[in-house]
Amino acid sequence: MTGLTGTSPAHDVVRETLDRWRRAFDDRSVAEMVSLFVEDALFQGISPRLRAGRAEIAEYYGDAGEGTRATVQVLEAQRLGDGLVGGFADVTFTARAGETFPIRLSVVIRHREDAWLISQYHAAAR
């Protein structure tokens, strides 16, 4: 996996976007997290319910456990087209009591106006 050994413009986009997401998650800033997604984003969190759009994503993050923090390691990223990148990351959520919940994350990130925003988000157990 080339994302593990170096950086590329696509890797930088995924890393920077997921770092903004992580900071917002750790701060419990649902509005900031949701602002990182396009209006009609497709979203599959760790629950089985499929979601679409910012309102449903806000509902999902509103239920996140208080005090839970995330760490993110980008594994792979590549340019998918003009203004479009995709990537994989390992995310570990750590609850206040110390329990960890490792997931594998797949994202598609689109350049809109002057920002990179998540267009598709899929989490799976690892």
Side-chain angles (χ1 to χ4, degrees):
M1 294 184 148
T2 59
L4 291 172
T5 59
T7 64
S8 67
H11 187 275
D12 291 344
V13 167
V14 173
R15 181 183 44 77
E16 290 167 11
T17 303
L18 291 180
D19 190 50
R20 291 190 337 259
W21 170 87
R22 181 201 49 77
R23 284 192 311 268
F25 182 87
D26 288 355
D27 291 343
R28 282 298 161 265
S29 178
V30 173
E32 180 65 24
M33 274 186 282
V34 171
S35 76
L36 299 171
F37 290 83
V38 298
E39 289 287 337
D40 58 349
L42 299 176
F43 186 94
Q44 168 75 56
I46 55 175
S47 71
R49 180 174 168 210
L50 300 175
R51 298 170 191 263
R54 287 180 171 173
E56 290 187 7
I57 295 168
E59 177 186 330
Y60 177 85
Y61 284 125
D63 291 338
E66 188 66 33
T68 302
R69 302 191 52 86
T71 59
V72 178
Q73 178 187 11
V74 175
L75 302 174
E76 182 69 39
Q78 61 182 243
R79 181 179 177 270
L80 302 175
D82 287 340
L84 193 64
V85 299
F88 298 116
D90 279 346
V91 179
T92 301
F93 295 101
T94 304
R96 183 178 290 172
E99 299 169 272
T100 59
F101 305 93
I103 67 158
R104 174 78 31 89
L105 183 63
S106 170
V107 291
V108 175
I109 302 171
R110 180 179 308 276
H111 194 261
R112 292 266 173 101
E113 297 175 20
D114 63 345
W116 288 95
L117 300 174
I118 302 167
S119 182
Q120 188 169 332
Y121 175 108
H122 179 260
R126 64 174 161 99

